[in-house]
Amino acid sequence: MILLTLHQNEERPARSTSKRGAESGARAALVTGSSRGIGRGIAQRLAQDGALVALHYGSRETAAKETAEGMGEAGGKAFAIGAQLGVPGDAEALFAAFDAELAAYGAELGLDVLVNNATISLPGHIGEATEEEFGRTIAINTKAPFLWITGQRIDVTGGSML
């Protein structure tokens, strides 16, 4: 899992706390693979702490939407976005959906916290895996977040990574 806390670069418009609520210090967060398990727990905590949270899912749409709804009922702000990772155009699809939902909330565009929790495992024993299965694992677990950063969609200058 990768956690990035980000600082915006000069090219992004300056954020003001007025749209997100100066009293809460709310931030925009994206948690990939957050429809269940550890990702859901992290997303829930971020919302509890005042962040506007995007719950990313690859195939578990119902679980992600139920989680977002539950977070809303608990007083948090969250929305679900679906995007397949590890395929051509995945970053564009993920961040287009993220930006559209931020706009729907009336929030300024930009990402403050990224938790890359989306991963897959090889089916069965590694000696039984096909090259295609191995490639998909690398594409989702490693290549997708690498491309988000090197594609300049995410500016980690001045941020931190855990």
Side-chain angles (χ1 to χ4, degrees), residues 4 6 12 15 28-32 54-57 79-104 108-116 143-156:
L4 296 171
L6 308 169
R12 287 191 191 151
R15 289 188 184 272
L30 169 61
V31 183
T32 65
L55 298 149
H56 162 263
Y57 64 90
F79 54 87
I81 55 174
Q84 292 300 315
L85 303 182
V87 298
D90 62 352
E92 292 82 6
L94 177 65
F95 289 106
F98 179 76
D99 288 344
E101 289 291 337
L102 286 181
E108 295 180 39
L109 299 183
L111 179 62
D112 298 305
V113 177
L114 168 66
V115 179
N116 180 47
K143 187 176 181 182
F146 171 78
L147 292 175
W148 301 339
I149 295 168
T150 61
Q152 303 305 312
R153 179 58 175 122
I154 298 175
D155 176 19
V156 294

Side-chain angles (χ1 to χ4, degrees), residues 54-70:
L55 298 149
H56 162 263
Y57 64 90
S59 60
R60 293 182 172 92
E61 179 179 10
T62 301
K65 288 184 176 181
E66 287 173 356
T67 299
E69 186 177 300

Side-chain angles (χ1 to χ4, degrees), residues 125-147:
H125 189 275
I126 191 166
E128 300 166 356
T130 66
E131 186 174 343
E132 181 180 315
E133 291 167 336
F134 179 74
R136 178 149 171 73
T137 302
I138 294 300
I140 291 173
N141 298 356
T142 307
K143 187 176 181 182
F146 171 78
L147 292 175

